[in-house]
Amino acid sequence: MRIALLAVATAALVLAVSSPAAANGRFPASNQLVFSPSDPNLVVLRTTFGILISHDDGTTWTWLCEDVLGLPPTSNEDPSLGLTANNTMIAGISHGLDVSPDVGCNWAFAGGGLGNQLVKDVVVRPDAPHTALAITSTFSADGGADGGAGYGQQVFASTDDGTTFAPSGAPIDPAAIVTTVEVAKSDPQRLYVSAFRGIGATRTASLFVSTDAGGHWTERPSPLDPANESAVYIAAVDPTNADRVYLRSEGLSRLFVTGDAGKTYQIPVTLKGQMLGFALSPDGSKVYVGSKEDGLLMATSASLAFTQTSTVRVQCLAARGSELWACSDEPSGFIAGVSQNDGQSFTAKLHLNGIDGTVACAADAAAAVCNGAPYQSLCYNLGGCATDDGGIDGGGAGDDGGPPVPPPPPRSNSGCSAVGGGSAAVLLSAGAIAAIALRRRRGAPGARGRR
């Protein structure tokens, strides 16, 4: 899950990459959407500058800084996020699994063997949303099966909304390197893990399959062109058919579909750009893929015949009910948007300068570290925020005596704007930004459905 962008912005958008809010050198971008399984108004958006949380279905958004997760300002790491049934937020990062029982205010690292482990991916079970799974991939000099170097790779499970975690099932072969974990909604015993082996021309990809909740694993080869692809990532498992799995590749960016749990594959579509977005409709009947270069494509799962429905620059996709949500950028007209017609048009849910303050927490909460100067720096780098926090908006100087910040463009009365496929109202002119893309990852390419 996880994209790092490095960009150079011109005068159309003030971005000081040496400042705290942009110290990791990445262009502000959104790349994962997560919905609460119990609260239809709670939406979480991962970005390259922190986590944004909405308690009113995307009308307003508040900011949670990376510092509260223990990530340094120079980090290019995007955590894997999940929300359980009681709205506990879990975040897998390079040195453990962070758990927040109060939607971002306070955080603590999970125990049960997860301490200082590289957490590659997290997933909340769609059939039992009080249960969360995390998979580790931590290298050690004696982590191999024969006592030599290898990767300690284990699924950990929590059945109590992240309160406790414990190893679940058998470890994954330490000679492989895992990338993602997924569960089947229609079969509680079915688990899938994607992985790769080797380097260069010898690289191969695999899908590990378990029919007994991880007690035993069967490794099956996945398609991979080692000259053009480096790994595969699980995009989704069909909600009604545990044997049908969607995977996407990093590099050439192809979609792989298996209907027999990884024994055979179809390759229905290849994108020009990296497949940053994938979503499956809740009933499994519609498949959506997208990239910044290709826009949004849709097919029925029966035909897998993809057609473009929009030229919106896709950075993530997520389906909820009849809605299709997308991460994009201001040239498309929104940072987060929602469509009711399979992506033919989107209504903006968030603009880059639309953040409404920091996450509301008690003064002694861990998230208080985001208040004041960090938020002021963020707003300065984004060209303004929707509401004041410490005097940063309205053109005045911040509490820290920093330079004045011009107010953001006015928002519409509804806070939303209609955006057609490619004919978006552009807040940044096409020539305003010269971007240099730099890729660095811990997990899947972009946000895959929920990720």
Side-chain angles (χ1 to χ4, degrees), residues 3 24 26-32 44-52 63-64 66 77-79 81 335 350 352 355 378:
I3 301 302
N24 61 19
R26 298 194 290 170
F27 187 77
S30 53
N31 51 32
Q32 182 185 4
V44 174
L45 176 66
R46 187 186 67 195
T47 75
T48 57
F49 52 86
I51 298 171
L52 301 181
W63 179 62
L64 187 68
E66 295 169 320
E77 185 175 334
D78 291 329
L81 298 179
I335 299 300
L350 175 67
L352 194 59
I355 300 174
L378 173 78

Side-chain angles (χ1 to χ4, degrees), residues 96-440:
L97 186 68
D98 244 345
V99 180
S100 172
D102 48 15
V103 199
C105 287
N106 291 284
W107 294 82
F109 280 106
L114 279 165
N116 296 315
Q117 297 291 309
L118 168 58
V119 178
K120 271 292 184 73
D121 199 17
V122 300
V123 60
V124 174
R125 294 195 69 108
D127 59 306
H130 290 287
T131 298
L133 303 180
I135 189 164
T136 61
S137 182
T138 306
F139 180 81
S140 65
D142 57 357
D146 58 358
Y151 289 83
Q153 302 181 133
Q154 175 70 55
V155 173
F156 288 77
S158 170
T159 59
D160 53 10
D161 292 282
T163 302
T164 59
F165 277 86
S168 178
I172 299 290
D173 184 351
I177 302 176
V178 304
T179 55
T180 48
V181 62
E182 192 56 271
V183 300
K185 183 177 181 179
S186 61
D187 181 357
Q189 298 296 307
R190 185 73 61 89
L191 299 183
Y192 291 99
V193 171
S194 58
F196 65 89
R197 298 175 181 270
I199 60 173
T202 67
R203 178 159 292 191
T204 61
S206 299
L207 185 67
F208 286 85
V209 185
S210 175
T211 59
D212 57 2
H216 300 83
W217 295 98
T218 299
E219 183 177 7
R220 293 173 178 154
S222 298
L224 189 78
D225 176 1
N228 297 293
E229 296 168 318
S230 56
V232 298
Y233 305 87
I234 303 170
V237 179
D238 187 281
T240 63
N241 181 359
D243 288 337
R244 187 177 178 93
V245 187
Y246 298 83
L247 301 93
R248 49 183 168 166
S249 63
E250 178 183 20
L252 185 60
S253 204
R254 298 182 293 171
L255 179 68
F256 307 136
V257 185
T258 176
D260 50 18
K263 295 176 183 177
T264 61
Y265 286 91
Q266 296 174 260
I267 307 176
V269 66
T270 300
L271 299 188
K272 300 173 187 173
Q274 190 61 49
M275 194 181 296
L276 302 181
F278 178 95
L280 197 61
S281 63
D283 63 359
S285 65
K286 296 178 181 179
V287 187
Y288 307 90
V289 299
S291 76
K292 292 186 290 184
E293 295 81 2
D294 300 84
L296 174 65
L297 291 80
M298 190 270 284
T300 65
S301 58
S303 71
L304 292 177
F306 284 88
T307 58
Q308 187 187 61
T309 62
S310 171
T311 57
V312 162
R313 292 161 51 88
V314 173
Q315 295 179 170
C316 86
L317 294 170
R320 185 184 66 172
S322 62
E323 301 172 339
L324 178 66
W325 287 61
C327 306
S328 190
D329 52 25
E330 291 297 358
S332 292
F334 59 86
I335 299 300
V338 62
S339 174
Q340 301 283 356
N341 54 11
D342 293 326
Q344 296 178 50
S345 62
F346 282 86
T347 296
K349 286 288 190 177
L350 175 67
H351 291 295
L352 194 59
N353 60 3
I355 300 174
D356 296 88
T358 54
V359 173
C361 303
D364 60 349
V369 69
C370 306
N371 298 338
Y375 180 71
Q376 294 169 15
S377 295
L378 173 78
C379 295
Y380 180 74
N381 285 306
L382 298 183
C385 288
T387 59
D388 288 353
D389 186 353
I392 192 62
D393 278 336
D399 287 345
D400 58 358
V405 180
R411 306 172 87 191
S412 67
N413 291 335
S414 65
C416 300
S417 60
V419 180
S423 60
V426 178
L427 297 188
L428 301 181
S429 64
I433 300 172
I436 303 170
L438 182 65
R439 312 260 330 284
R440 178 184 182 271

